[in-house]
Every structure is written in structure tokens, then in C-alpha cells.
Amino acid sequence: MSPDKQMLRERIDADRERLIEFLQRFVQARSPNPPSWCDPEHPMLGILQDNVEQLRGFRPDPIVAVGGTDTRLWRYIDVPAFVYGPYPTGMGSADEHVPIEDFLHIVRTHVLSAYDYLSP
């Protein structure tokens, strides 16, 4: 990682709580729906990443995404909700699709992650 990127990352980490509060207020001021988010330190995030890494050989980066899923509805009732899904091939077009192997990978990831999370 370049020194500039490292410095930026350190600044973001140092101001993380202030940044989260700012983003929540920013989104709330511009949206009829209240903002929703999950703690990036929640165990389920690591579980999902671990299972993807074991199944597909890469570790997905956690990202902030626009509210294009219904996970916000779970978060509104204090149920943590994370999204891991297919690449949006042709999303919103006549040729929108998900390859069967990608679909099965996502099902495996979610089933294994739920099992890991709920296991003692």
C-alpha cells in the first residue's frame, strides 16, 4: 500500500465514529427512509468472508452500498443484515441473469454462514 493510501486509511480509521455519524445524518437528511447500517465488526461479516474464501478462494471486501435491497427492513427491527449476492450481469435489462453455478455458490455461502453463526 502506498504511503498516501496508508495515511488516508489511518485518518479514516481514526475518525471512524465521526464519519459514521456524518454519513447517517447526510443520508437521513436526503431520504424519506431512515438510514440503516450494520456494525462492520459484527461476527457475521467475518463468517461470510471466511465462507466465500473457502468456497471460491477470494475474500470479499466489505463495502457500503446504496439501499437497493430489503435488508434495511431487517435492520429497522435491529436484526443485522449483510448482502452477498451475484454479480449484476445485465441488471435491469432484457438479458438479466445469474449463472447457475454462481447461484449455487451463493446458496452454499448463505447456508454455511447461517450454520456457522447459529452453531455454539
Side-chain angles (χ1 to χ4, degrees):
M1 184 179 301
S2 74
D4 290 339
K5 285 184 180 180
Q6 181 63 32
M7 183 183 73
L8 181 60
R9 183 176 204 105
E10 288 169 5
R11 281 291 297 273
I12 290 170
D13 290 346
D15 291 334
R16 181 175 165 211
E17 293 304 317
R18 288 180 47 214
L19 180 61
I20 289 171
E21 182 180 343
F22 169 79
L23 291 173
Q24 286 176 329
R25 289 181 187 204
F26 180 83
V27 171
Q28 191 169 24
R30 287 159 180 75
S31 172
N33 298 316
S36 69
W37 65 283
C38 287
D39 182 355
E41 303 296 324
H42 192 280
M44 183 53 117
L45 181 59
I47 290 170
L48 282 163
Q49 289 175 309
D50 290 346
N51 281 313
V52 172
E53 191 168 24
Q54 289 173 8
L55 292 169
R56 282 278 171 102
F58 71 93
R59 189 168 189 84
D61 291 323
I63 62 168
V64 176
V66 295
T69 74
D70 290 337
T71 55
R72 72 186 187 289
L73 303 173
W74 290 100
R75 293 184 199 117
Y76 290 162
I77 57 171
D78 296 323
V79 175
F82 297 90
V83 176
Y84 177 72
Y87 187 81
T89 306
M91 189 168 150
S93 71
D95 193 27
E96 181 175 358
H97 68 280
V98 175
I100 291 173
E101 190 50 44
D102 288 354
F103 171 75
L104 294 174
H105 162 69
I106 291 159
V107 170
R108 289 181 193 107
T109 299
H110 284 273
V111 169
L112 291 171
S113 296
Y115 177 84
D116 291 344
Y117 184 70
L118 296 172
S119 295

